[in-house]
Amino acid sequence: MGMMASVSSMEFWCILNLRATLITLLLLLFFHLSKKLYSKFFPRSSVLHLPSPSSSTSLPESQSRIPEIVSDSDLKFLIDNLDEKLDEDEKWETVIDKKTNSLSYKAKCCRPKNKPLKYLSTTVFEGCSPELLRNFYMDNDYRKQWDKTVIDHVQLQMNTTNGIEIGCTIKKFPLLTPREYVLAWRLWEGKDRTFYCFIKECEHPSAPRQKKYVRVGYFRSGWQIRKVPGRDASEIRMFHQEDAGLNVEMAKLAFAKGIWSYVCKMDNALRKYAVISHPLTSPSVSSSTLIQKVPPELDMINGDALPAASASMATFEPVNDEPREKRLSRKPSKKFVAKSLLVIGGVICLSRGHCGLGAKVAMAYILTKLRKRGDRSSQSMQT
């Protein structure tokens, strides 16, 4: 009798636990479906809530004067970097060199000590004038149409005295929190239809920090546009350095794997830009309409020839005293394996649980490293 009571008691608790489990699962399912329905009918806006361009350009005269955030010394800094001036412990590494009938692109990078990666690229667009290329690069409204990483852009302030413009751009990259760029830039025109632009990070009261974005705290970028001598083509040489809060090796790998498709997409957008009409949707006063003149002392020091820029893409040899055969025959070290495992974990975390995608990116990174080491070893044996 006691045993029968015990069995019935156990059955009772099992039935009770089963019902409780089913109720819990039903509640979770209801909560999940209600959340989806709510987000469908009441979507949360992800656009940037900033003053409209009209309000930003109609500031009182006392407020529209921006201090010289971007100065001629920044232009000198840009020219020095375009001339490939490096510190003794820095060296360039070729990243990509590709071309089509209408486009050629070369890029290399170096890793300064305690600073973000530094990139230098050269792009030549056939059948394009320097003025068209300049207008294309500075048209932020058109960029939002072809560059899918740009979520929003707005002009914050314009200095009509020195031509400095401040704006805010939100960019979205796969697997990452959107990045927020509050930047100041300025344009110069030099001799022989040569144009310069330098861009750097800044702060602005109209763009307070928001938790849903990651503010990029270090940004140095600029370009030079000029005509290719003897050809119906224009060249843009670009220097770029930013800290977007990414792992250095992963950022380098993402650049190497994705930049060529991005440049090809840019080339297609440029060809369309040349034939379509451009209604005045952007602010009537901008850095493009208030372009400055390059100071004479800086206009004289930049006399690089185009072949010299191409020759500079050659691979540099290490400068240490270690024998070349020993360096090339090294096997992957424990430190490299540890870094690779760390990168795998980081990518899986970045992919928010999409282990397949994270593993693919991490394995691409490791295989790229191993392939480079294998190529160097085979070159050593052949030598």
Side-chain angles (χ1 to χ4, degrees), residues 1 3-4 12 15 38 44 63 66 75 103 127 153 190 199 202 221-222 230 274 289 339 356-357 359 362 370:
M1 187 76 178
M3 184 177 292
M4 292 292 294
F12 170 76
I15 294 172
Y38 181 83
R44 295 176 63 182
Q63 297 181 17
I66 310 170
L75 176 60
L103 168 74
H153 172 84
I199 314 162
C202 68
S221 185
T289 60
K339 284 186 177 180
L357 179 58
L370 293 175

PDB file of all heavy atoms in Angstrom, residues 1 3-4 12 15 38 44 63 66 75 103 127 153 190 199 202 221-222 230 274 289 339 356-357 359 362 370:
ATOM      1  N   MET A   1       0.837  -1.214   0.000  1.00  0.00           N
ATOM      2  CA  MET A   1       0.000   0.000   0.000  1.00  0.00           C
ATOM      3  C   MET A   1       0.864   1.252   0.000  1.00  0.00           C
ATOM      4  O   MET A   1       0.643   2.187  -0.743  1.00  0.00           O
ATOM      5  CB  MET A   1      -0.913  -0.007   1.240  1.00  0.00           C
ATOM      6  CG  MET A   1      -1.939   1.096   1.269  1.00  0.00           C
ATOM      7  SD  MET A   1      -3.298   0.750   0.131  1.00  0.00           S
ATOM      8  CE  MET A   1      -4.321   2.155   0.446  1.00  0.00           C
ATOM      9  N   MET A   3       3.913   1.362  -1.002  1.00  0.00           N
ATOM     10  CA  MET A   3       4.633   1.444  -2.287  1.00  0.00           C
ATOM     11  C   MET A   3       3.716   2.018  -3.355  1.00  0.00           C
ATOM     12  O   MET A   3       4.131   2.816  -4.194  1.00  0.00           O
ATOM     13  CB  MET A   3       5.121   0.047  -2.685  1.00  0.00           C
ATOM     14  CG  MET A   3       5.963   0.032  -3.968  1.00  0.00           C
ATOM     15  SD  MET A   3       6.581  -1.591  -4.339  1.00  0.00           S
ATOM     16  CE  MET A   3       7.756  -1.782  -2.968  1.00  0.00           C
ATOM     17  N   MET A   4       2.452   1.629  -3.370  1.00  0.00           N
ATOM     18  CA  MET A   4       1.491   2.159  -4.339  1.00  0.00           C
ATOM     19  C   MET A   4       1.321   3.661  -4.175  1.00  0.00           C
ATOM     20  O   MET A   4       1.271   4.414  -5.150  1.00  0.00           O
ATOM     21  CB  MET A   4       0.144   1.468  -4.168  1.00  0.00           C
ATOM     22  CG  MET A   4       0.149  -0.006  -4.560  1.00  0.00           C
ATOM     23  SD  MET A   4       0.367  -0.242  -6.322  1.00  0.00           S
ATOM     24  CE  MET A   4      -1.159   0.477  -6.893  1.00  0.00           C
ATOM     25  N   PHE A  12       2.419  11.681  -9.986  1.00  0.00           N
ATOM     26  CA  PHE A  12       1.813  13.005  -9.847  1.00  0.00           C
ATOM     27  C   PHE A  12       2.850  14.108 -10.093  1.00  0.00           C
ATOM     28  O   PHE A  12       2.610  15.070 -10.832  1.00  0.00           O
ATOM     29  CB  PHE A  12       1.200  13.138  -8.450  1.00  0.00           C
ATOM     30  CG  PHE A  12       0.752  14.550  -8.130  1.00  0.00           C
ATOM     31  CD1 PHE A  12      -0.418  15.052  -8.687  1.00  0.00           C
ATOM     32  CD2 PHE A  12       1.506  15.363  -7.290  1.00  0.00           C
ATOM     33  CE1 PHE A  12      -0.828  16.341  -8.392  1.00  0.00           C
ATOM     34  CE2 PHE A  12       1.098  16.643  -7.002  1.00  0.00           C
ATOM     35  CZ  PHE A  12      -0.070  17.145  -7.545  1.00  0.00           C
ATOM     36  N   ILE A  15       3.860  14.295 -13.788  1.00  0.00           N
ATOM     37  CA  ILE A  15       2.850  14.987 -14.597  1.00  0.00           C
ATOM     38  C   ILE A  15       2.896  16.482 -14.333  1.00  0.00           C
ATOM     39  O   ILE A  15       2.797  17.312 -15.251  1.00  0.00           O
ATOM     40  CB  ILE A  15       1.444  14.409 -14.295  1.00  0.00           C
ATOM     41  CG1 ILE A  15       1.366  12.954 -14.754  1.00  0.00           C
ATOM     42  CG2 ILE A  15       0.366  15.246 -14.949  1.00  0.00           C
ATOM     43  CD1 ILE A  15       0.086  12.236 -14.334  1.00  0.00           C
ATOM     44  N   TYR A  38       5.935  42.772 -32.727  1.00  0.00           N
ATOM     45  CA  TYR A  38       6.113  44.166 -32.308  1.00  0.00           C
ATOM     46  C   TYR A  38       7.177  44.862 -33.156  1.00  0.00           C
ATOM     47  O   TYR A  38       6.998  46.005 -33.584  1.00  0.00           O
ATOM     48  CB  TYR A  38       6.513  44.212 -30.832  1.00  0.00           C
ATOM     49  CG  TYR A  38       6.692  45.617 -30.301  1.00  0.00           C
ATOM     50  CD1 TYR A  38       5.598  46.362 -29.869  1.00  0.00           C
ATOM     51  CD2 TYR A  38       7.950  46.195 -30.240  1.00  0.00           C
ATOM     52  CE1 TYR A  38       5.763  47.652 -29.401  1.00  0.00           C
ATOM     53  CE2 TYR A  38       8.130  47.481 -29.774  1.00  0.00           C
ATOM     54  CZ  TYR A  38       7.025  48.208 -29.347  1.00  0.00           C
ATOM     55  OH  TYR A  38       7.195  49.481 -28.890  1.00  0.00           O
ATOM     56  N   ARG A  44      12.126  49.947 -34.950  1.00  0.00           N
ATOM     57  CA  ARG A  44      12.966  50.984 -34.326  1.00  0.00           C
ATOM     58  C   ARG A  44      13.850  51.591 -35.386  1.00  0.00           C
ATOM     59  O   ARG A  44      14.493  50.899 -36.177  1.00  0.00           O
ATOM     60  CB  ARG A  44      13.830  50.367 -33.226  1.00  0.00           C
ATOM     61  CG  ARG A  44      13.017  49.838 -32.069  1.00  0.00           C
ATOM     62  CD  ARG A  44      13.911  49.147 -31.066  1.00  0.00           C
ATOM     63  NE  ARG A  44      14.850  50.086 -30.487  1.00  0.00           N
ATOM     64  CZ  ARG A  44      15.769  49.729 -29.601  1.00  0.00           C
ATOM     65  NH1 ARG A  44      15.872  48.471 -29.223  1.00  0.00           N
ATOM     66  NH2 ARG A  44      16.583  50.631 -29.102  1.00  0.00           N
ATOM     67  N   GLN A  63      28.850  81.214 -34.530  1.00  0.00           N
ATOM     68  CA  GLN A  63      28.941  79.783 -34.286  1.00  0.00           C
ATOM     69  C   GLN A  63      29.470  79.010 -35.490  1.00  0.00           C
ATOM     70  O   GLN A  63      29.917  77.883 -35.354  1.00  0.00           O
ATOM     71  CB  GLN A  63      27.576  79.229 -33.890  1.00  0.00           C
ATOM     72  CG  GLN A  63      27.029  79.809 -32.592  1.00  0.00           C
ATOM     73  CD  GLN A  63      25.682  79.205 -32.241  1.00  0.00           C
ATOM     74  OE1 GLN A  63      25.297  78.176 -32.760  1.00  0.00           O
ATOM     75  NE2 GLN A  63      24.974  79.851 -31.341  1.00  0.00           N
ATOM     76  N   ILE A  66      34.722  77.790 -37.516  1.00  0.00           N
ATOM     77  CA  ILE A  66      35.387  76.625 -36.956  1.00  0.00           C
ATOM     78  C   ILE A  66      36.869  76.944 -36.824  1.00  0.00           C
ATOM     79  O   ILE A  66      37.467  77.487 -37.742  1.00  0.00           O
ATOM     80  CB  ILE A  66      35.200  75.401 -37.870  1.00  0.00           C
ATOM     81  CG1 ILE A  66      33.725  75.224 -38.234  1.00  0.00           C
ATOM     82  CG2 ILE A  66      35.744  74.145 -37.218  1.00  0.00           C
ATOM     83  CD1 ILE A  66      33.488  74.197 -39.306  1.00  0.00           C
ATOM     84  N   LEU A  75      48.252  69.156 -44.465  1.00  0.00           N
ATOM     85  CA  LEU A  75      48.558  68.947 -45.881  1.00  0.00           C
ATOM     86  C   LEU A  75      50.008  68.501 -46.053  1.00  0.00           C
ATOM     87  O   LEU A  75      50.305  67.600 -46.847  1.00  0.00           O
ATOM     88  CB  LEU A  75      48.288  70.221 -46.680  1.00  0.00           C
ATOM     89  CG  LEU A  75      48.658  70.184 -48.169  1.00  0.00           C
ATOM     90  CD1 LEU A  75      47.898  69.094 -48.902  1.00  0.00           C
ATOM     91  CD2 LEU A  75      48.408  71.543 -48.813  1.00  0.00           C
ATOM     92  N   LEU A 103      40.564  50.120 -65.134  1.00  0.00           N
ATOM     93  CA  LEU A 103      40.909  50.376 -63.744  1.00  0.00           C
ATOM     94  C   LEU A 103      42.177  49.629 -63.360  1.00  0.00           C
ATOM     95  O   LEU A 103      42.404  48.497 -63.797  1.00  0.00           O
ATOM     96  CB  LEU A 103      39.746  49.916 -62.852  1.00  0.00           C
ATOM     97  CG  LEU A 103      39.951  49.822 -61.358  1.00  0.00           C
ATOM     98  CD1 LEU A 103      39.979  51.205 -60.740  1.00  0.00           C
ATOM     99  CD2 LEU A 103      38.845  48.983 -60.725  1.00  0.00           C
ATOM    100  N   GLY A 127      39.729  57.147 -68.810  1.00  0.00           N
ATOM    101  CA  GLY A 127      38.626  57.944 -69.339  1.00  0.00           C
ATOM    102  C   GLY A 127      37.946  58.806 -68.304  1.00  0.00           C
ATOM    103  O   GLY A 127      36.715  58.917 -68.294  1.00  0.00           O
ATOM    104  N   HIS A 153      24.666  60.033 -43.587  1.00  0.00           N
ATOM    105  CA  HIS A 153      25.680  61.092 -43.558  1.00  0.00           C
ATOM    106  C   HIS A 153      24.974  62.431 -43.493  1.00  0.00           C
ATOM    107  O   HIS A 153      23.944  62.635 -44.136  1.00  0.00           O
ATOM    108  CB  HIS A 153      26.583  61.052 -44.796  1.00  0.00           C
ATOM    109  CG  HIS A 153      27.506  62.233 -44.881  1.00  0.00           C
ATOM    110  ND1 HIS A 153      28.711  62.284 -44.210  1.00  0.00           N
ATOM    111  CD2 HIS A 153      27.383  63.420 -45.523  1.00  0.00           C
ATOM    112  CE1 HIS A 153      29.287  63.449 -44.435  1.00  0.00           C
ATOM    113  NE2 HIS A 153      28.508  64.156 -45.243  1.00  0.00           N
ATOM    114  N   GLY A 190      46.239  72.439 -56.308  1.00  0.00           N
ATOM    115  CA  GLY A 190      47.613  72.783 -56.628  1.00  0.00           C
ATOM    116  C   GLY A 190      47.795  73.039 -58.113  1.00  0.00           C
ATOM    117  O   GLY A 190      46.837  73.249 -58.857  1.00  0.00           O
ATOM    118  N   ILE A 199      41.491  64.459 -44.114  1.00  0.00           N
ATOM    119  CA  ILE A 199      40.355  64.209 -43.220  1.00  0.00           C
ATOM    120  C   ILE A 199      40.881  63.708 -41.886  1.00  0.00           C
ATOM    121  O   ILE A 199      41.797  62.875 -41.850  1.00  0.00           O
ATOM    122  CB  ILE A 199      39.409  63.149 -43.830  1.00  0.00           C
ATOM    123  CG1 ILE A 199      39.132  63.445 -45.305  1.00  0.00           C
ATOM    124  CG2 ILE A 199      38.107  63.064 -43.055  1.00  0.00           C
ATOM    125  CD1 ILE A 199      38.579  62.264 -46.069  1.00  0.00           C
ATOM    126  N   CYS A 202      37.248  64.499 -35.133  1.00  0.00           N
ATOM    127  CA  CYS A 202      37.032  65.680 -34.291  1.00  0.00           C
ATOM    128  C   CYS A 202      35.783  65.430 -33.440  1.00  0.00           C
ATOM    129  O   CYS A 202      35.150  64.381 -33.533  1.00  0.00           O
ATOM    130  CB  CYS A 202      36.877  66.952 -35.137  1.00  0.00           C
ATOM    131  SG  CYS A 202      35.368  67.000 -36.124  1.00  0.00           S
ATOM    132  N   SER A 221      43.254  60.412 -42.869  1.00  0.00           N
ATOM    133  CA  SER A 221      43.113  59.943 -44.237  1.00  0.00           C
ATOM    134  C   SER A 221      43.205  61.126 -45.190  1.00  0.00           C
ATOM    135  O   SER A 221      42.866  62.262 -44.824  1.00  0.00           O
ATOM    136  CB  SER A 221      41.770  59.214 -44.429  1.00  0.00           C
ATOM    137  OG  SER A 221      41.673  58.660 -45.718  1.00  0.00           O
ATOM    138  N   GLY A 222      43.651  60.850 -46.389  1.00  0.00           N
ATOM    139  CA  GLY A 222      43.746  61.926 -47.373  1.00  0.00           C
ATOM    140  C   GLY A 222      44.114  61.375 -48.735  1.00  0.00           C
ATOM    141  O   GLY A 222      44.528  60.215 -48.871  1.00  0.00           O
ATOM    142  N   GLY A 230      49.968  62.168 -70.545  1.00  0.00           N
ATOM    143  CA  GLY A 230      49.915  61.497 -71.836  1.00  0.00           C
ATOM    144  C   GLY A 230      48.759  60.530 -72.017  1.00  0.00           C
ATOM    145  O   GLY A 230      48.720  59.824 -73.036  1.00  0.00           O
ATOM    146  N   ALA A 274      29.289  59.769 -64.242  1.00  0.00           N
ATOM    147  CA  ALA A 274      29.745  60.645 -65.335  1.00  0.00           C
ATOM    148  C   ALA A 274      28.635  60.969 -66.321  1.00  0.00           C
ATOM    149  O   ALA A 274      28.719  61.978 -67.032  1.00  0.00           O
ATOM    150  CB  ALA A 274      30.914  59.982 -66.067  1.00  0.00           C
ATOM    151  N   THR A 289      33.078  73.622 -52.874  1.00  0.00           N
ATOM    152  CA  THR A 289      32.839  74.953 -53.443  1.00  0.00           C
ATOM    153  C   THR A 289      33.761  76.003 -52.851  1.00  0.00           C
ATOM    154  O   THR A 289      33.878  77.097 -53.409  1.00  0.00           O
ATOM    155  CB  THR A 289      31.374  75.373 -53.209  1.00  0.00           C
ATOM    156  OG1 THR A 289      31.119  75.406 -51.794  1.00  0.00           O
ATOM    157  CG2 THR A 289      30.421  74.390 -53.858  1.00  0.00           C
ATOM    158  N   LYS A 339      48.262  32.886 -31.143  1.00  0.00           N
ATOM    159  CA  LYS A 339      47.541  34.031 -31.729  1.00  0.00           C
ATOM    160  C   LYS A 339      46.409  33.553 -32.622  1.00  0.00           C
ATOM    161  O   LYS A 339      45.334  34.137 -32.655  1.00  0.00           O
ATOM    162  CB  LYS A 339      48.509  34.905 -32.534  1.00  0.00           C
ATOM    163  CG  LYS A 339      49.404  35.784 -31.676  1.00  0.00           C
ATOM    164  CD  LYS A 339      50.223  36.709 -32.556  1.00  0.00           C
ATOM    165  CE  LYS A 339      51.075  37.663 -31.715  1.00  0.00           C
ATOM    166  NZ  LYS A 339      51.880  38.572 -32.564  1.00  0.00           N
ATOM    167  N   GLY A 356      29.936  28.886 -37.958  1.00  0.00           N
ATOM    168  CA  GLY A 356      30.385  28.529 -39.293  1.00  0.00           C
ATOM    169  C   GLY A 356      31.082  29.690 -39.967  1.00  0.00           C
ATOM    170  O   GLY A 356      32.174  29.550 -40.507  1.00  0.00           O
ATOM    171  N   LEU A 357      30.471  30.855 -39.926  1.00  0.00           N
ATOM    172  CA  LEU A 357      31.064  32.027 -40.545  1.00  0.00           C
ATOM    173  C   LEU A 357      32.334  32.443 -39.830  1.00  0.00           C
ATOM    174  O   LEU A 357      33.349  32.750 -40.446  1.00  0.00           O
ATOM    175  CB  LEU A 357      30.065  33.186 -40.538  1.00  0.00           C
ATOM    176  CG  LEU A 357      30.556  34.505 -41.146  1.00  0.00           C
ATOM    177  CD1 LEU A 357      30.971  34.283 -42.594  1.00  0.00           C
ATOM    178  CD2 LEU A 357      29.470  35.560 -41.047  1.00  0.00           C
ATOM    179  N   ALA A 359      34.384  30.584 -38.091  1.00  0.00           N
ATOM    180  CA  ALA A 359      35.441  29.615 -38.362  1.00  0.00           C
ATOM    181  C   ALA A 359      36.021  29.799 -39.751  1.00  0.00           C
ATOM    182  O   ALA A 359      37.225  29.667 -39.966  1.00  0.00           O
ATOM    183  CB  ALA A 359      34.887  28.194 -38.194  1.00  0.00           C
ATOM    184  N   ALA A 362      38.355  32.822 -39.655  1.00  0.00           N
ATOM    185  CA  ALA A 362      39.558  32.509 -38.891  1.00  0.00           C
ATOM    186  C   ALA A 362      40.451  31.543 -39.661  1.00  0.00           C
ATOM    187  O   ALA A 362      41.673  31.704 -39.699  1.00  0.00           O
ATOM    188  CB  ALA A 362      39.167  31.913 -37.538  1.00  0.00           C
ATOM    189  N   LEU A 370      49.932  30.512 -43.073  1.00  0.00           N
ATOM    190  CA  LEU A 370      50.698  29.303 -43.352  1.00  0.00           C
ATOM    191  C   LEU A 370      51.148  29.258 -44.808  1.00  0.00           C
ATOM    192  O   LEU A 370      52.256  28.812 -45.107  1.00  0.00           O
ATOM    193  CB  LEU A 370      49.860  28.068 -43.019  1.00  0.00           C
ATOM    194  CG  LEU A 370      49.542  27.855 -41.529  1.00  0.00           C
ATOM    195  CD1 LEU A 370      48.617  26.663 -41.353  1.00  0.00           C
ATOM    196  CD2 LEU A 370      50.824  27.639 -40.734  1.00  0.00           C
TER     197      LEU A 370
END
